[in-house]
Amino acid sequence: MTPARRRPLVAGNWKMHTTPQSGVELARAIVRAGPPDGVDLVLCPPAIAVTDVARAVVGTTVRVGAQNMHWLDAGAFTGEISASMLAGVAEVVIVGHSERRGDFGETDEMVNRKLRAALAAGLTPIVCVGETESVRDAGGARALITAQVQAALEGVDSEAAGPLVMAYEPVWAIGTGRTASPEQAAEAIGWAREALGHALDAAAAERTRVLYGGSVSPANARELLAQDGVDGALVGGASLKADDFIAIARSAVP
Ligand code: PGA
């Protein structure tokens, strides 16, 4: 089980789903469904809905995050939003999701810059790492995860990384209905935690929550979240249904 000192976190990545209005309705339904005590719950709507969803959950235990941000504070970057724009509206930001890396060309260096900007702005970054199926089949998952963690944390010290959250999301499990087995998830999260220890220090490796993501559902969440070192879940598809998302969150209660 997750040690008591690491409070479980379950985050919903709504991806490119919901309008400001339907996002508010979903957030309200999630609040009505009853977020469990003892678990941090985060909703990550599309950027256009972040403000409205954040307003809708004021006074509840639910927190709001963005799915992406630019690493610079302001400038001629059409279509982008910065950490300082998010700060004050959202508390969390997903950084380096595999869809950003794979579909939008985000490099390890960009992930590192975004992570540093998020921390500097007082946001809690959820940094995603994970291998493709071909890398896993070739036996390269551990090396890739280690390299991604190291690159993401380049130039960051343990103290600055205080609120950091990581997510292990095997690319082959995202949106496919195929999850990592609980053993695979725990093993890979162990690799990520070891890399955290090398990149930062032992204290950071101990305190940093590492989530699993990739086709998490009410049916598989309990077994995944019961694994040693699996500190919560980053949920895509199932986070768009209030009852499913809350069922997953309940599975995370220590
Ligand atoms: P999924 O997405 O739960 O739909 O597989 C997870 C994610 O991309 O964070």
Side-chain angles (χ1 to χ4, degrees):
M1 287 299 292
T2 298
R5 63 188 172 279
R6 289 200 302 265
R7 187 179 157 91
L9 188 155
V10 173
N13 174 9
W14 294 0
K15 307 194 181 182
M16 199 168 72
H17 297 288
T18 73
T19 62
Q21 194 182 337
S22 68
V24 164
E25 282 160 17
L26 176 56
R28 288 195 180 128
I30 286 167
V31 169
R32 273 199 309 274
D37 289 337
V39 178
D40 288 340
L41 217 61
V42 180
L43 311 180
C44 300
I48 187 115
V50 166
T51 305
D52 287 347
V53 169
R55 283 200 191 114
V57 300
V58 167
T60 76
T61 56
V62 177
R63 299 286 168 261
V64 173
Q67 299 171 14
N68 180 38
M69 47 163 266
H70 197 276
W71 57 87
L72 292 176
D73 199 45
F77 300 102
T78 302
E80 293 291 328
I81 56 172
S82 71
S84 62
M85 295 170 187
L86 285 171
V89 182
E91 294 176 53
V92 177
V93 61
I94 299 171
V95 173
H97 189 280
S98 66
E99 286 153 15
R100 301 288 328 162
R101 294 178 189 257
D103 299 339
F104 299 97
E106 249 178 57
T107 62
D108 279 338
E109 193 197 339
M110 289 156 84
V111 171
N112 172 250
R113 288 184 178 185
K114 290 180 182 203
L115 168 61
R116 289 195 284 173
L119 289 169
L123 296 168
T124 293
I126 302 179
V127 179
C128 303
V129 299
E131 80 288 356
T132 59
E133 184 157 38
S134 59
V135 167
R136 176 162 282 267
D137 289 347
R142 182 181 193 156
L144 185 90
I145 292 163
T146 302
Q148 285 179 331
V149 171
Q150 267 166 358
L153 292 170
E154 185 72 41
V156 178
D157 66 31
S158 178
E159 200 188 327
L164 172 70
V165 176
M166 300 217 64
Y168 166 62
E169 297 206 306
V171 178
W172 47 272
I174 294 177
T176 59
R178 282 174 64 200
T179 41
S181 69
E183 296 73 25
Q184 284 173 324
E187 182 180 48
I189 283 175
W191 297 333
R193 199 177 297 288
E194 197 180 301
L196 269 167
H198 288 134
L200 298 173
D201 58 19
E206 261 313 290
R207 81 171 173 248
T208 300
R209 292 176 287 186
V210 187
L211 317 179
Y212 168 78
S215 298
V216 176
S217 71
N220 60 33
R222 190 165 293 282
E223 217 191 334
L224 284 160
L225 294 170
Q227 296 297 307
D228 254 348
V230 180
D231 300 322
L234 181 53
V235 186
S239 72
L240 295 169
K241 292 187 191 132
D243 290 344
D244 285 359
F245 186 59
I246 288 297
I248 292 167
R250 293 212 173 106
S251 309
V253 175

